[in-house]
Amino acid sequence: MRILGIESSADETSAAVVESDGPGGVRLLSNVIQSQIDIHKVYGGIVPEISARSHIEAILPVIEAALQQSLVASHYSPGKGSPKLETGDKRQATQSDPWNQIDAIAVTYAPGLVGSLLMGVMTARTLALIKKKPLYPIHHVKAHVYANFINPVSHNTSGTTLTPRWRPPTFPILALIVSGGHTQLVLFESHQQYKILGRTQDDAVGEAFDKVAKILGLPYPGGPSIQAAAAKGDSSKYTLPKAKMKNNYDFSFSGLKTAFLRRVQREVGVDITFPSHELSSRLSTAERYDFAASFQQTAVETLVDKTIKAYQEFSPASVVIAGGVAANQALRRQLSDRLPIKVTYPPIWLCTDNGAMIASAAYYESQFRQPCDPRDLEVVPSLSM
Ligand code: KG4
Ligand code: ZN
C-alpha cells in the first residue's frame, strides 16, 4: 500500500509517499518539505496570514515533487540529495503516471492554524475526488508519534539503504510528544487505544524554547538556537524553578518562562517593567550561553523526570519521543541515560513537521478506520488527540 501524506498545519508545506513494509514498519519513498522559517524569521514567529498564503503557492509543486520522487526512489532521505536516476528508472518516471501507484491520500485536518490547515485539506479533498482515492484525515499530534514507525534509512558511499532488521516500536508504547504547540505523555496500548496521562496546562515546551530564545536575542525557531547556545554554556549557572502539578503527569512551562525573564532582568540590574526585547543587548555572550544552558537543563529535566515516573508506573515495552523538541540532543541523551530500555526517536529531519509522518499514521489507521467522504472533511484548529 502506497500513501501520499500532506501536511500544512503550521510553517512547513510538506508531501511524502510511504509504502508499507510489513513487520518492518513503513518505508519512505519521498519526503518533500518547503519550510517557511526564513519568511517568518523576521517577525520572530509564525504570522498566520502569511503562512496560509505561502501554503497556497507551495502546495501543488510540493505534492508534484513528492510524487515524482516516489517513482524513481526505492528509498529516500532529504539532506542527502535527491535519489539518483538510473536509465531504467528514467524510463519508468517518464512513462508512468505517479497517481497510478498511489492507493490513498492522507492529510492533517487538526489541530493547527485554520488558514494553513485549510490549504492542505482543500487540496487533499480535491485530489481525492479527481483521482478517485480514499482520503484519511489525520490528527497532527498523534502523527508525530508515527515518525517512529518509518524505517530510518542509513547513508553510505553507495547512497541510502534501509536499516536492516529494523523493527518499529512495540506496544504498549509510552510516547512523550513535545512540539511547538503540544506537550503530552501518552500511553498507547495499540494503534487504536491510547490514554493521555498528562499534558501541558499552559505553554508547550517548544513554545517556551521559542520565547526564551527571543528574550536572549537568539533567532527563530528557538529550539535549535537554544541548543547551540547551551552547548557552550554552564547549565548550573542559574537555578530555575520546576512547576509542581496536581496531576503528576501534567506539565506547565509558562511559569518557567516568567521565572527566566525575571532572572535575566535581575542579572542585568533592571526591574520587571523593563522591556524583554531590550534585555539581550545587556547580556554578555557568556551570560547568554549560560542562560540558554540553564533553561534547557530545567526544561529537559522536567520532561525526563515525568517520563521516567510514567515508565516506572506503567512498564511499557517501548518509550518513544516525538515532535520538534524530540530533535533536542540533551533530551535524547538524558532520557537514554536514565531509562533502562532503549529510547526510540526519529531522525532529526522527521522530528519537525513533515508529510511522511502523516502518511505513516494513515497506513496504520487504515487498518481499523474507514476513509472519510472527501466532500465532508472540515478542518478543526483546536482538537485534543
Ligand atoms: O513539531 P514541530 O515542527 O511543530 C509543531 O507541531 O509545533 O515543532 C516545532 C518546535 C519549535 O518550538 C522549535 O523551537 C522546536 O520544535 N525545536 C526544538 C529543536 N528543534 C526544533 N526544540 C528544542 N531543541 C531542538 N533541537
Ligand atoms: Zn508538529
Side-chain angles (χ1 to χ4, degrees):
M1 185 173 186
R2 277 191 181 189
I3 301 177
L4 168 71
I6 301 170
E7 158 62 36
S8 74
S9 66
D11 58 352
E12 334 278 355
T13 315
S14 181
V17 178
V18 307
E19 183 173 68
S20 59
D21 195 23
V26 300
R27 59 196 196 111
L28 209 50
L29 299 181
S30 64
N31 186 38
V32 177
I33 302 172
Q34 183 156 324
S35 177
Q36 303 171 3
I37 283 177
D38 287 341
I39 302 172
H40 299 294
K41 221 172 201 160
V42 285
Y43 306 100
I46 303 179
V47 183
E49 180 69 14
I50 296 176
S51 169
R53 263 187 271 147
S54 304
H55 284 303
I56 300 179
E57 286 168 18
I59 203 147
L60 289 175
V62 163
I63 291 171
E64 182 58 27
L67 289 170
Q68 287 301 332
Q69 287 178 13
S70 75
L71 270 186
V72 297
S74 56
H75 40 261
Y76 176 73
S77 163
K80 293 281 163 185
S82 293
K84 261 215 323 254
L85 272 173
E86 300 303 337
T87 324
D89 292 336
K90 233 182 230 161
R91 199 175 47 238
Q92 185 196 14
T94 46
Q95 283 180 359
S96 338
D97 175 356
W99 281 104
N100 293 341
Q101 304 190 24
I102 298 297
D103 300 301
I105 301 173
V107 65
T108 304
Y109 78 104
L113 299 168
V114 62
S116 304
L117 284 168
L118 267 170
M119 298 312 140
V121 165
M122 295 313 287
T123 308
R125 284 174 57 170
T126 310
L127 289 172
L129 287 168
I130 295 172
K131 303 293 180 186
K132 298 188 174 53
K133 305 288 177 187
L135 178 62
Y136 290 93
I138 298 297
H139 192 284
H140 177 90
V141 181
K142 187 181 178 200
H144 268 299
V145 174
Y146 282 86
N148 285 294
F149 285 75
I150 300 168
N151 188 312
V153 289
S154 57
H155 313 290
N156 54 35
T157 46
S158 58
T160 55
T161 48
L162 291 170
T163 306
R165 291 182 296 283
W166 181 84
R167 288 287 175 269
T170 51
F171 293 103
I173 297 171
L174 175 64
L176 172 68
I177 310 174
V178 277
S179 71
H182 298 268
T183 301
Q184 52 196 41
L185 267 168
V186 185
L187 187 65
F188 285 82
E189 291 299 337
S190 65
H191 291 293
Q192 213 167 349
Q193 276 183 308
Y194 56 86
K195 182 177 176 221
I196 297 176
L197 303 177
R199 54 158 65 96
T200 183
Q201 299 300 304
D202 40 58
D203 290 357
V205 64
E207 198 178 344
F209 269 89
D210 295 337
K211 287 177 176 169
V212 159
K214 227 174 181 175
I215 295 171
L216 294 180
L218 300 171
Y220 170 86
S225 309
I226 292 276
Q227 174 173 292
K232 298 177 220 155
D234 172 4
S235 63
S236 63
K237 187 73 188 287
Y238 304 106
T239 308
L240 296 163
K242 286 190 204 162
K244 292 215 167 37
M245 307 301 290
K246 239 197 252 146
N247 169 6
N248 263 336
Y249 298 119
D250 277 345
F251 299 91
S252 164
F253 288 101
S254 80
L256 171 59
K257 178 202 65 198
T258 308
F260 182 87
L261 175 61
R262 297 286 173 259
R263 188 67 190 82
V264 178
Q265 286 168 329
R266 186 144 62 87
E267 192 64 19
V268 302
V270 296
D271 70 16
I272 60 168
T273 58
F274 191 84
S276 61
H277 63 272
E278 287 177 27
L279 282 169
S280 68
S281 60
R282 302 202 174 196
L283 291 170
S284 69
T285 305
E287 283 170 332
R288 228 172 278 146
Y289 292 160
D290 290 342
F291 267 117
S294 302
F295 164 77
Q296 178 175 270
Q297 175 62 22
T298 309
V300 163
E301 220 168 75
T302 305
L303 298 171
V304 174
D305 285 350
K306 299 209 180 216
T307 309
I308 299 291
K309 206 179 206 66
Y311 174 80
Q312 287 164 346
E313 182 173 346
F314 299 103
S315 309
S318 320
V319 175
V320 310
I321 43 177
V325 184
N328 188 273
Q329 300 295 340
L331 174 61
R332 292 170 171 211
R333 197 173 44 244
Q334 286 191 31
L335 203 51
S336 300
D337 287 349
R338 288 179 55 191
L339 269 180
I341 61 170
K342 196 173 158 289
V343 185
T344 303
Y345 40 78
I348 287 177
W349 46 272
L350 287 180
C351 287
T352 43
D353 295 346
N354 62 83
M357 69 188 199
I358 305 302
S360 172
Y363 167 66
Y364 291 99
E365 289 207 8
S366 71
Q367 294 171 4
F368 60 85
R369 179 163 295 154
Q370 291 301 313
C372 69
D373 183 335
R375 286 162 301 191
D376 294 340
L377 180 59
E378 307 266 3
V379 303
V380 189
S382 171
L383 180 71
S384 171
M385 249 177 75

mmCIF file of all heavy atoms in Angstrom, residues 31 85 120 127 157 184 203 264-265 280 311 316 323 354 364 367-368 371-372 384:
data_model
loop_
_atom_site.group_PDB
_atom_site.id
_atom_site.type_symbol
_atom_site.label_atom_id
_atom_site.label_comp_id
_atom_site.label_asym_id
_atom_site.label_seq_id
_atom_site.Cartn_x
_atom_site.Cartn_y
_atom_site.Cartn_z
ATOM 1 N N ASN A 31 9.947 12.545 0.533
ATOM 2 C CA ASN A 31 9.508 13.426 1.622
ATOM 3 C C ASN A 31 9.993 14.829 1.270
ATOM 4 O O ASN A 31 11.163 15.138 1.435
ATOM 5 C CB ASN A 31 10.098 12.963 2.961
ATOM 6 C CG ASN A 31 9.541 13.755 4.136
ATOM 7 O OD1 ASN A 31 8.364 14.099 4.158
ATOM 8 N ND2 ASN A 31 10.388 14.049 5.103
ATOM 9 N N LEU A 85 18.834 8.963 -10.496
ATOM 10 C CA LEU A 85 18.006 8.371 -11.553
ATOM 11 C C LEU A 85 18.843 7.383 -12.349
ATOM 12 O O LEU A 85 19.892 7.730 -12.880
ATOM 13 C CB LEU A 85 17.542 9.466 -12.512
ATOM 14 C CG LEU A 85 16.254 10.220 -12.191
ATOM 15 C CD1 LEU A 85 16.099 11.358 -13.165
ATOM 16 C CD2 LEU A 85 15.058 9.303 -12.261
ATOM 17 N N GLY A 120 -4.132 22.611 2.996
ATOM 18 C CA GLY A 120 -3.851 21.188 2.821
ATOM 19 C C GLY A 120 -5.133 20.394 2.625
ATOM 20 O O GLY A 120 -5.219 19.530 1.741
ATOM 21 N N LEU A 127 -8.052 16.513 -4.695
ATOM 22 C CA LEU A 127 -7.290 15.434 -5.335
ATOM 23 C C LEU A 127 -7.973 14.079 -5.129
ATOM 24 O O LEU A 127 -8.014 13.251 -6.037
ATOM 25 C CB LEU A 127 -5.856 15.389 -4.776
ATOM 26 C CG LEU A 127 -4.955 16.551 -5.214
ATOM 27 C CD1 LEU A 127 -3.629 16.516 -4.453
ATOM 28 C CD2 LEU A 127 -4.701 16.499 -6.728
ATOM 29 N N THR A 157 28.494 5.105 1.165
ATOM 30 C CA THR A 157 29.072 5.658 -0.074
ATOM 31 C C THR A 157 28.226 5.322 -1.301
ATOM 32 O O THR A 157 28.215 6.054 -2.276
ATOM 33 C CB THR A 157 30.493 5.099 -0.279
ATOM 34 O OG1 THR A 157 30.445 3.687 -0.044
ATOM 35 C CG2 THR A 157 31.484 5.757 0.654
ATOM 36 N N GLN A 184 2.729 16.421 25.767
ATOM 37 C CA GLN A 184 1.914 15.436 26.473
ATOM 38 C C GLN A 184 2.580 14.076 26.546
ATOM 39 O O GLN A 184 3.422 13.732 25.727
ATOM 40 C CB GLN A 184 0.517 15.330 25.861
ATOM 41 C CG GLN A 184 0.463 15.100 24.375
ATOM 42 C CD GLN A 184 -0.929 15.402 23.809
ATOM 43 O OE1 GLN A 184 -1.562 16.367 24.190
ATOM 44 N NE2 GLN A 184 -1.395 14.555 22.917
ATOM 45 N N ASP A 203 1.732 26.748 28.319
ATOM 46 C CA ASP A 203 2.583 26.759 27.124
ATOM 47 C C ASP A 203 3.112 25.361 26.808
ATOM 48 O O ASP A 203 3.341 24.553 27.710
ATOM 49 C CB ASP A 203 3.816 27.656 27.363
ATOM 50 C CG ASP A 203 3.449 29.128 27.434
ATOM 51 O OD1 ASP A 203 2.267 29.448 27.253
ATOM 52 O OD2 ASP A 203 4.362 29.945 27.679
ATOM 53 N N VAL A 264 16.739 37.021 34.249
ATOM 54 C CA VAL A 264 17.567 37.810 33.324
ATOM 55 C C VAL A 264 17.495 39.289 33.730
ATOM 56 O O VAL A 264 18.519 39.983 33.771
ATOM 57 C CB VAL A 264 17.118 37.623 31.846
ATOM 58 C CG1 VAL A 264 17.959 38.497 30.914
ATOM 59 C CG2 VAL A 264 17.237 36.166 31.418
ATOM 60 N N GLN A 265 16.273 39.755 34.071
ATOM 61 C CA GLN A 265 16.132 41.157 34.489
ATOM 62 C C GLN A 265 16.992 41.445 35.720
ATOM 63 O O GLN A 265 17.662 42.460 35.810
ATOM 64 C CB GLN A 265 14.652 41.466 34.771
ATOM 65 C CG GLN A 265 13.824 41.589 33.493
ATOM 66 C CD GLN A 265 12.326 41.597 33.737
ATOM 67 O OE1 GLN A 265 11.844 40.982 34.689
ATOM 68 N NE2 GLN A 265 11.582 42.270 32.874
ATOM 69 N N SER A 280 18.495 41.429 25.837
ATOM 70 C CA SER A 280 19.619 40.635 25.314
ATOM 71 C C SER A 280 20.858 41.487 25.059
ATOM 72 O O SER A 280 21.984 41.013 25.225
ATOM 73 C CB SER A 280 19.209 39.882 24.060
ATOM 74 O OG SER A 280 18.988 40.788 23.020
ATOM 75 N N TYR A 311 7.233 5.642 33.118
ATOM 76 C CA TYR A 311 7.827 4.348 32.758
ATOM 77 C C TYR A 311 7.760 3.396 33.953
ATOM 78 O O TYR A 311 7.393 2.225 33.816
ATOM 79 C CB TYR A 311 9.275 4.537 32.308
ATOM 80 C CG TYR A 311 9.967 3.210 32.064
ATOM 81 C CD1 TYR A 311 9.765 2.510 30.878
ATOM 82 C CD2 TYR A 311 10.776 2.633 33.052
ATOM 83 C CE1 TYR A 311 10.346 1.281 30.663
ATOM 84 C CE2 TYR A 311 11.363 1.403 32.837
ATOM 85 C CZ TYR A 311 11.154 0.731 31.649
ATOM 86 O OH TYR A 311 11.719 -0.500 31.441
ATOM 87 N N PRO A 316 5.987 0.208 30.104
ATOM 88 C CA PRO A 316 5.736 -0.008 28.677
ATOM 89 C C PRO A 316 6.852 -0.840 28.036
ATOM 90 O O PRO A 316 7.955 -0.921 28.595
ATOM 91 C CB PRO A 316 5.739 1.411 28.114
ATOM 92 C CG PRO A 316 6.628 2.170 29.040
ATOM 93 C CD PRO A 316 6.411 1.590 30.400
ATOM 94 N N GLY A 323 7.871 14.823 17.867
ATOM 95 C CA GLY A 323 7.620 16.269 17.760
ATOM 96 C C GLY A 323 8.929 17.034 17.634
ATOM 97 O O GLY A 323 10.012 16.477 17.865
ATOM 98 N N ASN A 354 6.315 17.155 8.922
ATOM 99 C CA ASN A 354 6.599 16.552 7.616
ATOM 100 C C ASN A 354 5.408 15.712 7.150
ATOM 101 O O ASN A 354 4.584 15.276 7.966
ATOM 102 C CB ASN A 354 7.866 15.686 7.713
ATOM 103 C CG ASN A 354 7.683 14.543 8.696
ATOM 104 O OD1 ASN A 354 7.125 13.500 8.358
ATOM 105 N ND2 ASN A 354 8.109 14.735 9.947
ATOM 106 N N TYR A 364 -1.362 2.990 9.340
ATOM 107 C CA TYR A 364 -1.828 2.197 10.496
ATOM 108 C C TYR A 364 -3.316 2.449 10.776
ATOM 109 O O TYR A 364 -4.039 1.525 11.130
ATOM 110 C CB TYR A 364 -0.957 2.491 11.723
ATOM 111 C CG TYR A 364 0.442 1.933 11.535
ATOM 112 C CD1 TYR A 364 1.497 2.737 11.135
ATOM 113 C CD2 TYR A 364 0.681 0.564 11.694
ATOM 114 C CE1 TYR A 364 2.769 2.209 10.920
ATOM 115 C CE2 TYR A 364 1.944 0.034 11.481
ATOM 116 C CZ TYR A 364 2.979 0.865 11.092
ATOM 117 O OH TYR A 364 4.230 0.333 10.864
ATOM 118 N N GLN A 367 -5.979 0.446 8.874
ATOM 119 C CA GLN A 367 -6.226 -0.940 9.248
ATOM 120 C C GLN A 367 -7.449 -1.084 10.156
ATOM 121 O O GLN A 367 -7.950 -2.176 10.354
ATOM 122 C CB GLN A 367 -4.986 -1.525 9.926
ATOM 123 C CG GLN A 367 -3.831 -1.613 8.935
ATOM 124 C CD GLN A 367 -2.510 -1.969 9.597
ATOM 125 O OE1 GLN A 367 -2.450 -2.226 10.800
ATOM 126 N NE2 GLN A 367 -1.455 -1.965 8.819
ATOM 127 N N PHE A 368 -7.893 0.030 10.748
ATOM 128 C CA PHE A 368 -9.073 -0.084 11.615
ATOM 129 C C PHE A 368 -10.093 1.034 11.382
ATOM 130 O O PHE A 368 -11.079 1.120 12.082
ATOM 131 C CB PHE A 368 -8.673 -0.133 13.096
ATOM 132 C CG PHE A 368 -7.931 1.073 13.589
ATOM 133 C CD1 PHE A 368 -8.621 2.202 14.019
ATOM 134 C CD2 PHE A 368 -6.547 1.089 13.625
ATOM 135 C CE1 PHE A 368 -7.944 3.321 14.463
ATOM 136 C CE2 PHE A 368 -5.853 2.215 14.071
ATOM 137 C CZ PHE A 368 -6.557 3.333 14.498
ATOM 138 N N PRO A 371 -12.030 5.305 5.330
ATOM 139 C CA PRO A 371 -11.709 6.666 4.868
ATOM 140 C C PRO A 371 -12.925 7.576 5.006
ATOM 141 O O PRO A 371 -14.039 7.086 5.177
ATOM 142 C CB PRO A 371 -11.338 6.462 3.397
ATOM 143 C CG PRO A 371 -11.869 5.126 3.012
ATOM 144 C CD PRO A 371 -11.981 4.306 4.258
ATOM 145 N N CYS A 372 -12.691 8.897 4.930
ATOM 146 C CA CYS A 372 -13.821 9.830 5.068
ATOM 147 C C CYS A 372 -14.414 10.143 3.701
ATOM 148 O O CYS A 372 -13.829 9.792 2.667
ATOM 149 C CB CYS A 372 -13.351 11.116 5.744
ATOM 150 S SG CYS A 372 -12.248 12.105 4.725
ATOM 151 N N SER A 384 -8.089 17.947 20.802
ATOM 152 C CA SER A 384 -7.205 17.055 21.548
ATOM 153 C C SER A 384 -7.103 15.720 20.809
ATOM 154 O O SER A 384 -7.970 15.377 20.018
ATOM 155 C CB SER A 384 -7.806 16.877 22.934
ATOM 156 O OG SER A 384 -7.106 15.889 23.605
#
